[in-house]
Amino acid sequence: MPITNQQAAEHAFLGLLYEDSYYPDHVVDKGRTILVRLCERIEAEQPSDLAALYVLSRAATEEFNLLEEEFEAAGSEIETVAREEIAENFWFVASAYGFTDADVEELIATREW
């Protein structure tokens, strides 16, 4: 299902990670897929409030938790730069769908990175 939100569809998810060779593209690709899938879920489920949005974003965050092992296996990790870039992308998604008052820490509350 293609993303219909123009802002989200044109966004270069995890752009900083792609620019840095420390982060393997094949693993960053999986992170990008998680964020695109989050957009698709928001469009399909149309959360009516922040609590409903947080359920979706936290599920996506748990998928990122599983990626940590893949980053490590590839000689990388989700460290400060990656954590900030991932968090900023979660906030971008919330904002693009009208949840400009979303708290980024609540969006990624289930993170282990």
Side-chain angles (χ1 to χ4, degrees), residues 2 4 8-9 13-14 20 25 33 54 57-58 76 86-87 92 96 110:
T4 60
F13 289 105
L14 305 176
D20 189 334
D25 285 353
T33 298
Y54 291 152
S57 68
R58 290 172 184 168
S76 183
I86 294 166
F92 167 82
T110 57

Side-chain angles (χ1 to χ4, degrees), residues 28-48:
V28 178
D29 288 345
K30 291 180 181 186
R32 181 188 177 285
T33 298
I34 292 167
L35 292 164
V36 168
R37 198 167 39 245
L38 174 59
C39 293
E40 293 169 346
R41 285 193 68 193
I42 291 170
E43 291 184 10
E45 299 180 27
Q46 298 183 357
S48 59

